[in-house]
């Protein structure tokens, strides 16, 4: 089970780029890296997922170095509505690893005006 | 996610009562999950089911039981509720494809046990 470590909290200002790094030193060969966003009193929402290098969608980018022992979620030009908790999960559907079901405490991002 | 429906949305009950939280989905996913979230903490996995005949314990299954009545329905029961089970409960689903399939969450059930 790949354990993940992320900062407890981060502060930013509107319009800035925010990078949240997650460490997962014992990631397995076939594990994927998945990020979720959660607003208060709502269920988490999938943001982005990757296996290696870089993935980009309309919401965020995910950077994964060659050794895959960490990953960085990048949120471009954040707004107040990006204030939320962000979770990094590592795992895969098959092969015994259930790390993709373990959320941990996440990173609480606070965006200020 | 409106495709994952949890009932009730809120429930207040007394210690010792039996409670059932229900979850239904229209996404056609094989896999379903129950999590609880306490204030300031992340989500903790209670039980999960990869298909109708499969039930697995998660991190914190003690005091809980589940039933997978059909592909679309997964219910969580507290046989004898206690105050420290007061929490926000989430149901989630995911597809069973290769790699990793993201989870889709319901809006949660806020449970208070007095």
């Amino acid at each position: 089970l790949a354990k993940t470590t992320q900062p407890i909290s981060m502060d930013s200002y509107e319009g800035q780029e925010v990078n949240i790094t997650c460490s997962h030193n014992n990631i397995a060969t076939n594990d994927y890296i998945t990020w979720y966003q959660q607003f208060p009193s709502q269920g988490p929402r999938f943001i982005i997922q990757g296996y290696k290098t870089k993935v980009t969608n309309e919401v965020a980018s995910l950077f994964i170095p060659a050794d895959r022992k960490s990953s960085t979620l990048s949120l471009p030009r954040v707004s107040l509505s990006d204030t939320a908790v962000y979770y990094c999960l590592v795992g895969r559907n098959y092969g015994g690893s259930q790390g993709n079901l373990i959320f941990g405490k996440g990173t609480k991002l606070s965006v200020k005006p | 996610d409106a495709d994952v429906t949890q009932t009730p949305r809120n429930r207040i009950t007394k210690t010792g009562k039996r409670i059932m939280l229900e979850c239904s989905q229209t996404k056609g996913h094989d896999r379903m999950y129950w999590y609880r979230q306490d204030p300031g903490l992340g989500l903790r996995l209670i039980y999960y089911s990869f298909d109708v005949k499969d039930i697995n314990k998660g991190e914190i299954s003690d005091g809980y039981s589940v039933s997978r009545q059909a592909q679309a329905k997964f219910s969580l029961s507290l046989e004898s509720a206690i105050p420290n089970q007061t929490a926000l409960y989430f149901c989630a689903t995911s597809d069973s494809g290769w790699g990793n399939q993201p989870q889709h969450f319901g809006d949660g059930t806020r449970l208070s046990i007095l």
Side-chain angles (χ1 to χ4, degrees):
Chain A
L1 194 65
K3 180 182 177 184
T4 61
T5 302
Q6 10 176 168
I8 295 297
S9 63
M10 294 181 68
D11 292 331
S12 182
Y13 291 93
E14 283 190 292
Q16 290 185 333
E17 178 184 75
V18 171
N19 296 307
I20 305 174
T21 297
C22 179
S23 297
H24 29 81
N25 291 320
N26 60 340
I27 187 170
T29 301
N30 296 322
D31 283 348
Y32 285 75
I33 300 156
T34 310
W35 286 81
Y36 291 84
Q37 174 191 57
Q38 185 183 25
F39 298 114
S41 298
Q42 294 185 24
R45 181 176 70 103
F46 169 80
I47 302 177
I48 197 166
Q49 176 174 280
Y51 181 79
K52 61 181 179 181
T53 62
K54 176 184 175 182
V55 180
T56 297
N57 62 23
E58 64 278 5
V59 176
S61 294
L62 179 60
F63 299 92
I64 305 169
D67 66 6
R68 304 201 327 125
K69 293 184 182 299
S70 67
S71 58
T72 299
L73 174 72
S74 182
L75 304 173
R77 301 180 59 80
V78 294
S79 65
L80 296 176
S81 63
D82 292 314
T83 294
V85 178
Y86 293 83
Y87 298 95
C88 164
L89 282 71
V90 174
R92 62 192 181 279
N93 272 8
Y94 298 94
S97 168
Q98 301 302 331
N100 55 334
L101 308 182
I102 305 301
F103 276 77
K105 296 182 180 180
T107 297
K108 185 174 183 179
L109 173 65
S110 297
V111 180
K112 302 174 183 177
Chain B
D1 191 330
D3 298 325
V4 182
T5 302
Q6 294 184 232
T7 55
R9 293 295 314 279
N10 294 280
R11 178 80 184 270
I12 301 174
T13 191
K14 295 181 179 179
T15 298
K17 293 290 188 180
R18 183 179 187 276
I19 302 161
M20 180 180 287
L21 309 183
E22 299 186 347
C23 178
S24 63
Q25 53 118 345
T26 59
K27 300 188 78 67
H29 289 166
D30 289 326
R31 300 181 170 203
M32 298 187 74
Y33 314 85
W34 276 105
Y35 290 88
R36 71 174 276 177
Q37 186 170 36
D38 297 279
L41 301 180
L43 284 78
R44 291 184 291 169
L45 184 64
I46 306 173
Y47 271 97
Y48 60 102
S49 169
F50 284 172
D51 63 43
V52 176
K53 297 180 180 179
D54 176 80
I55 300 290
N56 303 281
K57 293 182 178 180
E59 304 169 80
I60 53 163
S61 59
D62 288 348
Y64 301 95
S65 62
V66 292
S67 174
R68 185 79 184 269
Q69 301 95 322
Q71 185 203 39
K73 295 184 182 297
F74 192 37
S75 57
L76 176 72
S77 294
L78 289 68
E79 296 301 325
S80 180
I82 56 178
N84 74 0
Q85 292 177 311
T86 292
L88 185 55
Y89 290 83
F90 289 105
C91 173
T93 74
S94 71
D95 205 350
S96 56
W98 192 254
N100 181 52
Q101 301 297 320
Q103 295 180 66
H104 301 261
F105 285 80
D107 290 331
T109 293
R110 188 170 298 279
L111 178 62
S112 296
I113 300 165
L114 306 177

Coordinates of all heavy atoms in Angstrom, one line a residue, chain A residues 4-13 16-24 33-39 45 47-48 53 55 59-65 69-79 81-90 103 105-111:
Chain A
T4 N 1.0 8.1 1.1 CA 1.3 9.4 0.5 C 1.5 10.4 1.7 O 0.9 10.3 2.7 CB 0.1 9.8 -0.3 OG1 -1.1 9.9 0.5 CG2 -0.1 8.8 -1.5
T5 N 2.3 11.4 1.4 CA 2.5 12.5 2.3 C 2.3 13.8 1.6 O 2.9 14.1 0.5 CB 3.9 12.5 2.9 OG1 4.1 11.2 3.5 CG2 4.1 13.6 3.9
Q6 N 1.4 14.7 2.1 CA 1.2 16.0 1.5 C 1.1 17.1 2.6 O 0.9 16.7 3.7 CB -0.1 16.1 0.7 CG -1.1 15.0 0.7 CD -2.4 15.2 0.0 OE1 -3.1 14.2 -0.2 NE2 -2.7 16.4 -0.5
P7 N 1.4 18.3 2.2 CA 1.3 19.4 3.3 C -0.1 19.4 3.8 O -1.1 19.2 3.1 CB 1.7 20.6 2.5 CG 1.5 20.3 1.1 CD 1.8 18.9 0.9
I8 N -0.2 19.8 5.1 CA -1.5 19.9 5.7 C -2.3 21.1 5.2 O -3.5 21.0 5.0 CB -1.4 20.0 7.3 CG1 -0.7 18.8 7.8 CG2 -2.7 20.3 7.9 CD1 -1.6 17.5 7.7
S9 N -1.6 22.2 4.9 CA -2.3 23.3 4.5 C -1.4 24.2 3.6 O -0.2 24.1 3.7 CB -2.9 24.2 5.6 OG -1.8 24.7 6.4
M10 N -2.1 25.0 2.8 CA -1.4 26.0 1.9 C -2.2 27.2 1.8 O -3.5 27.1 1.7 CB -1.1 25.4 0.5 CG -0.1 24.3 0.5 SD 0.2 23.7 -1.2 CE 1.1 25.1 -1.8
D11 N -1.6 28.4 1.7 CA -2.3 29.6 1.4 C -1.9 30.2 0.1 O -0.7 30.1 -0.3 CB -2.0 30.7 2.5 CG -2.6 30.3 3.8 OD1 -3.7 29.6 3.8 OD2 -2.0 30.6 4.9
S12 N -2.8 30.9 -0.6 CA -2.4 31.5 -1.9 C -3.3 32.7 -2.1 O -4.3 32.9 -1.3 CB -2.6 30.5 -3.0 OG -2.3 31.1 -4.3
Y13 N -3.1 33.5 -3.1 CA -3.9 34.6 -3.5 C -4.5 34.4 -4.9 O -4.0 33.7 -5.7 CB -3.1 35.9 -3.5 CG -2.7 36.3 -2.1 CD1 -1.4 35.9 -1.5 CD2 -3.5 37.1 -1.3 CE1 -1.1 36.3 -0.3 CE2 -3.1 37.5 0.0 CZ -1.9 37.1 0.5 OH -1.5 37.4 1.8
Q16 N -2.8 33.6 -8.6 CA -1.5 32.9 -8.5 C -1.7 31.4 -9.0 O -2.7 30.9 -9.0 CB -1.0 32.9 -7.1 CG -0.5 34.3 -6.7 CD 0.1 34.2 -5.3 OE1 -0.2 33.4 -4.5 NE2 1.0 35.2 -5.0
E17 N -0.5 30.9 -9.4 CA -0.5 29.4 -9.7 C -0.1 28.7 -8.3 O 0.7 29.2 -7.6 CB 0.6 29.1 -10.7 CG 0.8 27.7 -11.0 CD 1.9 27.4 -12.0 OE1 3.1 27.5 -11.5 OE2 1.7 27.1 -13.1
V18 N -0.8 27.6 -8.1 CA -0.6 26.9 -6.9 C -0.1 25.5 -7.2 O -0.6 24.8 -8.1 CB -1.9 26.8 -6.0 CG1 -1.7 25.8 -4.9 CG2 -2.3 28.1 -5.5
N19 N 1.0 25.1 -6.6 CA 1.5 23.7 -6.8 C 1.5 23.0 -5.4 O 2.0 23.4 -4.4 CB 3.0 23.8 -7.3 CG 3.1 24.5 -8.6 OD1 2.4 24.1 -9.6 ND2 3.9 25.5 -8.7
I20 N 0.8 21.8 -5.4 CA 0.7 21.0 -4.3 C 1.5 19.7 -4.6 O 1.1 19.0 -5.5 CB -0.7 20.7 -3.9 CG1 -1.5 22.0 -3.7 CG2 -0.8 19.8 -2.6 CD1 -3.0 21.7 -3.5
T21 N 2.5 19.4 -3.7 CA 3.3 18.2 -4.0 C 2.9 17.1 -3.0 O 2.6 17.3 -1.9 CB 4.8 18.6 -3.8 OG1 5.1 19.5 -4.8 CG2 5.6 17.3 -4.0
C22 N 2.9 15.9 -3.6 CA 2.6 14.7 -2.8 C 3.8 13.7 -2.9 O 4.3 13.5 -4.1 CB 1.3 14.1 -3.4 SG 0.8 12.5 -2.6
S23 N 4.2 13.2 -1.8 CA 5.3 12.2 -1.8 C 4.7 10.8 -1.7 O 3.9 10.6 -0.9 CB 6.3 12.5 -0.7 OG 6.9 13.7 -0.8
H24 N 5.2 9.9 -2.5 CA 4.8 8.5 -2.5 C 6.0 7.6 -2.8 O 6.1 7.1 -3.9 CB 3.6 8.3 -3.4 CG 3.5 9.2 -4.6 ND1 4.3 9.0 -5.7 CD2 2.8 10.3 -4.8 CE1 4.0 9.9 -6.6 NE2 3.1 10.7 -6.1
I33 N -1.6 7.7 -10.0 CA -1.7 8.8 -9.1 C -2.9 9.6 -9.4 O -3.1 10.1 -10.6 CB -0.4 9.7 -9.2 CG1 0.8 8.9 -8.9 CG2 -0.5 10.9 -8.2 CD1 2.1 9.5 -9.5
T34 N -3.8 9.8 -8.4 CA -5.1 10.4 -8.6 C -5.3 11.5 -7.6 O -5.0 11.4 -6.4 CB -6.2 9.4 -8.5 OG1 -5.9 8.2 -9.3 CG2 -7.6 10.0 -8.9
W35 N -5.8 12.6 -8.1 CA -6.1 13.8 -7.2 C -7.6 14.1 -7.2 O -8.3 14.0 -8.2 CB -5.3 15.0 -7.7 CG -3.9 15.0 -7.4 CD1 -2.9 14.3 -8.1 CD2 -3.2 15.6 -6.3 NE1 -1.7 14.5 -7.5 CE2 -1.8 15.3 -6.4 CE3 -3.6 16.4 -5.2 CZ2 -0.9 15.8 -5.5 CZ3 -2.7 16.9 -4.3 CH2 -1.3 16.6 -4.5
Y36 N -8.1 14.4 -6.0 CA -9.5 14.7 -5.8 C -9.5 16.1 -5.1 O -8.6 16.5 -4.4 CB -10.2 13.7 -4.9 CG -10.4 12.4 -5.5 CD1 -9.4 11.4 -5.5 CD2 -11.7 12.0 -6.1 CE1 -9.7 10.1 -6.0 CE2 -11.9 10.8 -6.7 CZ -10.9 9.8 -6.6 OH -11.1 8.6 -7.2
Q37 N -10.7 16.8 -5.3 CA -11.0 18.0 -4.6 C -12.2 17.9 -3.8 O -13.2 17.2 -4.3 CB -11.2 19.1 -5.7 CG -11.6 20.5 -5.2 CD -12.1 21.3 -6.4 OE1 -13.0 21.0 -7.2 NE2 -11.4 22.5 -6.6
Q38 N -12.2 18.4 -2.6 CA -13.4 18.4 -1.8 C -13.8 19.7 -1.2 O -12.9 20.3 -0.5 CB -13.3 17.3 -0.7 CG -14.5 17.2 0.1 CD -14.4 16.2 1.3 OE1 -13.3 16.0 1.9 NE2 -15.5 15.6 1.7
F39 N -15.0 20.2 -1.4 CA -15.5 21.4 -0.8 C -16.2 20.9 0.5 O -16.7 19.8 0.6 CB -16.5 22.1 -1.7 CG -15.8 22.6 -3.0 CD1 -16.2 22.0 -4.2 CD2 -14.9 23.5 -3.0 CE1 -15.6 22.4 -5.4 CE2 -14.3 24.0 -4.1 CZ -14.6 23.4 -5.3
R45 N -14.4 15.2 -5.4 CA -14.6 15.2 -6.9 C -13.3 14.9 -7.6 O -12.3 15.6 -7.3 CB -15.2 16.5 -7.3 CG -15.5 16.7 -8.8 CD -16.2 18.0 -9.0 NE -15.2 19.1 -8.9 CZ -14.7 19.8 -9.9 NH1 -14.9 19.5 -11.1 NH2 -13.9 20.8 -9.6
I47 N -10.3 15.2 -10.0 CA -9.7 16.3 -10.7 C -8.8 15.8 -11.9 O -9.1 16.1 -13.0 CB -8.7 17.2 -9.8 CG1 -9.5 17.7 -8.6 CG2 -8.1 18.3 -10.7 CD1 -8.5 18.5 -7.7
I48 N -7.9 14.9 -11.6 CA -6.9 14.5 -12.6 C -6.2 13.2 -12.1 O -6.1 12.9 -10.9 CB -5.9 15.7 -12.8 CG1 -5.1 15.5 -14.2 CG2 -4.9 15.8 -11.7 CD1 -4.4 16.7 -14.6
T53 N 5.1 11.3 -16.4 CA 5.3 12.6 -17.1 C 4.3 13.6 -16.8 O 4.1 13.9 -15.6 CB 5.4 12.4 -18.7 OG1 4.2 11.9 -19.2 CG2 6.5 11.4 -19.0
V55 N 0.3 15.4 -17.3 CA -1.1 15.3 -17.7 C -1.7 16.6 -17.5 O -1.5 17.2 -16.5 CB -1.9 14.2 -17.0 CG1 -3.3 14.1 -17.5 CG2 -1.2 12.8 -17.1
V59 N -8.9 21.7 -15.9 CA -8.9 22.2 -14.5 C -7.4 22.3 -14.0 O -7.1 23.3 -13.3 CB -9.7 21.2 -13.7 CG1 -9.6 21.6 -12.2 CG2 -11.1 21.1 -14.1
A60 N -6.6 21.3 -14.3 CA -5.3 21.3 -13.6 C -4.3 20.6 -14.5 O -4.6 20.0 -15.5 CB -5.4 20.6 -12.3
S61 N -3.0 20.6 -14.0 CA -1.9 19.8 -14.6 C -1.3 18.9 -13.5 O -1.3 19.3 -12.3 CB -0.9 20.7 -15.2 OG -1.4 21.4 -16.3
L62 N -0.8 17.8 -13.9 CA -0.2 16.9 -13.0 C 1.2 16.5 -13.5 O 1.3 16.1 -14.6 CB -1.0 15.6 -12.8 CG -0.5 14.5 -11.9 CD1 -0.3 15.0 -10.5 CD2 -1.4 13.3 -11.9
F63 N 2.2 16.8 -12.7 CA 3.6 16.6 -13.1 C 4.1 15.4 -12.3 O 4.1 15.4 -11.1 CB 4.4 17.8 -12.9 CG 4.0 19.0 -13.6 CD1 3.1 19.9 -13.1 CD2 4.5 19.2 -14.9 CE1 2.7 21.0 -13.9 CE2 4.1 20.3 -15.7 CZ 3.2 21.2 -15.1
I64 N 4.7 14.4 -13.0 CA 5.2 13.2 -12.4 C 6.6 13.0 -12.9 O 6.8 12.8 -14.1 CB 4.3 12.0 -12.7 CG1 2.9 12.3 -12.3 CG2 4.8 10.8 -11.9 CD1 1.9 11.2 -12.8
P65 N 7.6 13.1 -12.0 CA 9.0 12.9 -12.4 C 9.2 11.4 -12.8 O 8.4 10.5 -12.5 CB 9.8 13.3 -11.2 CG 8.9 13.0 -10.0 CD 7.5 13.3 -10.5
K69 N 8.3 9.0 -7.5 CA 8.2 9.0 -6.1 C 7.5 10.2 -5.5 O 7.3 10.4 -4.3 CB 9.6 8.9 -5.5 CG 10.3 7.5 -5.7 CD 11.6 7.4 -5.0 CE 12.3 6.1 -5.4 NZ 11.5 4.9 -4.9
S70 N 7.1 11.1 -6.4 CA 6.4 12.3 -6.0 C 5.5 12.7 -7.2 O 5.7 12.3 -8.3 CB 7.3 13.4 -5.5 OG 8.0 13.9 -6.6
S71 N 4.6 13.6 -6.9 CA 3.8 14.2 -8.0 C 3.4 15.6 -7.5 O 3.3 15.9 -6.3 CB 2.6 13.4 -8.3 OG 1.8 13.2 -7.2
T72 N 3.1 16.5 -8.5 CA 2.7 17.8 -8.2 C 1.5 18.2 -9.0 O 1.4 18.1 -10.2 CB 3.9 18.8 -8.6 OG1 5.0 18.5 -7.8 CG2 3.4 20.3 -8.2
L73 N 0.5 18.6 -8.2 CA -0.8 19.1 -8.8 C -0.6 20.6 -9.0 O -0.3 21.3 -8.0 CB -1.9 18.8 -7.9 CG -3.3 19.4 -8.3 CD1 -3.9 18.7 -9.5 CD2 -4.3 19.4 -7.1
S74 N -0.8 21.1 -10.2 CA -0.7 22.5 -10.5 C -2.0 23.1 -10.8 O -2.7 22.6 -11.8 CB 0.3 22.7 -11.6 OG 0.5 24.1 -11.8
L75 N -2.4 24.1 -10.1 CA -3.7 24.8 -10.4 C -3.3 26.2 -10.9 O -2.8 27.0 -10.2 CB -4.5 24.9 -9.1 CG -4.9 23.6 -8.4 CD1 -5.5 23.9 -7.0 CD2 -5.7 22.7 -9.3
P76 N -3.6 26.5 -12.2 CA -3.2 27.8 -12.7 C -4.2 28.9 -12.3 O -5.4 28.7 -12.3 CB -3.3 27.5 -14.3 CG -4.4 26.4 -14.4 CD -4.3 25.6 -13.1
R77 N -3.7 30.0 -12.0 CA -4.5 31.2 -11.7 C -5.7 30.9 -10.8 O -6.9 30.9 -11.3 CB -4.9 31.8 -13.0 CG -3.8 32.3 -13.9 CD -4.3 32.9 -15.2 NE -5.1 34.0 -14.9 CZ -4.7 35.3 -14.7 NH1 -3.4 35.5 -14.6 NH2 -5.5 36.3 -14.5
V78 N -5.5 30.6 -9.6 CA -6.6 30.1 -8.7 C -7.5 31.3 -8.4 O -7.1 32.5 -8.4 CB -6.0 29.5 -7.4 CG1 -5.2 28.3 -7.6 CG2 -5.1 30.6 -6.6
S79 N -8.7 30.9 -8.1 CA -9.7 31.9 -7.6 C -10.2 31.5 -6.3 O -9.9 30.4 -5.7 CB -10.9 31.9 -8.6 OG -11.6 30.7 -8.6
S81 N -12.9 30.3 -5.4 CA -13.7 29.0 -5.5 C -12.8 27.8 -5.5 O -13.3 26.7 -5.5 CB -14.6 29.1 -6.8 OG -13.8 29.1 -7.9
D82 N -11.5 28.0 -5.6 CA -10.6 26.8 -5.5 C -10.2 26.5 -4.1 O -9.5 25.5 -3.9 CB -9.3 27.1 -6.3 CG -9.6 27.2 -7.8 OD1 -10.3 26.3 -8.4 OD2 -9.1 28.2 -8.5
T83 N -10.7 27.3 -3.2 CA -10.5 27.0 -1.7 C -11.2 25.6 -1.4 O -12.4 25.5 -1.6 CB -11.1 28.1 -0.8 OG1 -10.3 29.3 -1.0 CG2 -11.0 27.7 0.6
A84 N -10.4 24.7 -1.0 CA -10.9 23.3 -0.9 C -9.8 22.4 -0.3 O -8.7 22.9 0.0 CB -11.4 22.7 -2.2
V85 N -10.1 21.2 0.0 CA -9.1 20.2 0.4 C -8.8 19.3 -0.8 O -9.7 18.9 -1.5 CB -9.6 19.3 1.6 CG1 -8.6 18.3 1.9 CG2 -10.0 20.2 2.8
Y86 N -7.5 19.1 -1.0 CA -7.0 18.3 -2.2 C -6.4 17.1 -1.7 O -5.5 17.1 -0.8 CB -6.1 19.2 -3.0 CG -6.8 20.3 -3.7 CD1 -7.0 21.5 -3.0 CD2 -7.3 20.2 -5.0 CE1 -7.7 22.6 -3.5 CE2 -8.0 21.3 -5.5 CZ -8.2 22.5 -4.8 OH -8.9 23.5 -5.4
Y87 N -6.8 15.9 -2.2 CA -6.3 14.6 -1.8 C -5.5 14.0 -2.9 O -5.9 14.0 -4.1 CB -7.4 13.7 -1.4 CG -8.3 14.1 -0.3 CD1 -9.5 14.8 -0.5 CD2 -7.9 13.8 1.0 CE1 -10.3 15.2 0.5 CE2 -8.7 14.2 2.1 CZ -9.9 14.9 1.8 OH -10.7 15.3 2.9
C88 N -4.4 13.4 -2.5 CA -3.5 12.6 -3.5 C -3.6 11.2 -3.1 O -3.5 10.8 -1.9 CB -2.1 13.1 -3.3 SG -0.8 12.0 -4.0
L89 N -4.0 10.3 -4.1 CA -4.1 8.9 -3.8 C -3.2 8.1 -4.8 O -3.1 8.5 -6.0 CB -5.6 8.4 -4.0 CG -6.6 8.7 -2.9 CD1 -6.9 10.2 -2.8 CD2 -7.8 7.9 -3.1
V90 N -2.7 7.0 -4.4 CA -1.8 6.2 -5.2 C -2.3 4.8 -5.1 O -2.4 4.2 -4.0 CB -0.4 6.3 -4.8 CG1 0.5 5.4 -5.6 CG2 0.1 7.8 -4.9
F103 N -7.8 8.0 1.4 CA -7.7 9.4 1.2 C -6.8 10.2 2.1 O -6.2 11.2 1.7 CB -9.1 10.0 1.3 CG -9.9 9.9 0.1 CD1 -10.5 8.7 -0.3 CD2 -10.1 11.0 -0.8 CE1 -11.2 8.5 -1.5 CE2 -10.8 10.8 -2.0 CZ -11.4 9.6 -2.3
K105 N -5.6 12.8 5.0 CA -6.1 14.1 5.5 C -6.1 15.2 4.4 O -6.7 16.2 4.6 CB -5.4 14.6 6.7 CG -5.6 13.6 7.9 CD -4.9 14.2 9.2 CE -5.1 13.2 10.3 NZ -4.4 13.7 11.6
G106 N -5.3 15.0 3.4 CA -5.3 16.0 2.3 C -4.6 17.3 2.6 O -4.1 17.4 3.7
T107 N -4.6 18.2 1.6 CA -4.1 19.5 1.8 C -5.2 20.5 1.7 O -5.9 20.6 0.7 CB -3.0 19.8 0.7 OG1 -2.0 18.9 0.8 CG2 -2.5 21.3 0.8
K108 N -5.3 21.3 2.8 CA -6.3 22.4 2.8 C -5.8 23.6 2.1 O -4.9 24.3 2.7 CB -6.8 22.7 4.2 CG -8.0 23.7 4.2 CD -8.5 23.8 5.7 CE -9.7 24.8 5.7 NZ -10.2 24.9 7.1
L109 N -6.3 24.0 1.0 CA -5.9 25.2 0.2 C -6.8 26.3 0.5 O -8.0 26.2 0.3 CB -5.8 24.9 -1.3 CG -5.6 26.1 -2.2 CD1 -4.1 26.7 -1.9 CD2 -5.8 25.8 -3.6
S110 N -6.2 27.4 1.0 CA -7.0 28.6 1.2 C -6.6 29.7 0.2 O -5.4 30.1 0.2 CB -6.9 29.1 2.7 OG -7.3 28.2 3.6
V111 N -7.5 30.2 -0.6 CA -7.2 31.2 -1.5 C -7.8 32.5 -1.0 O -9.0 32.6 -0.7 CB -7.8 30.9 -2.9 CG1 -7.5 32.0 -3.9 CG2 -7.2 29.6 -3.4

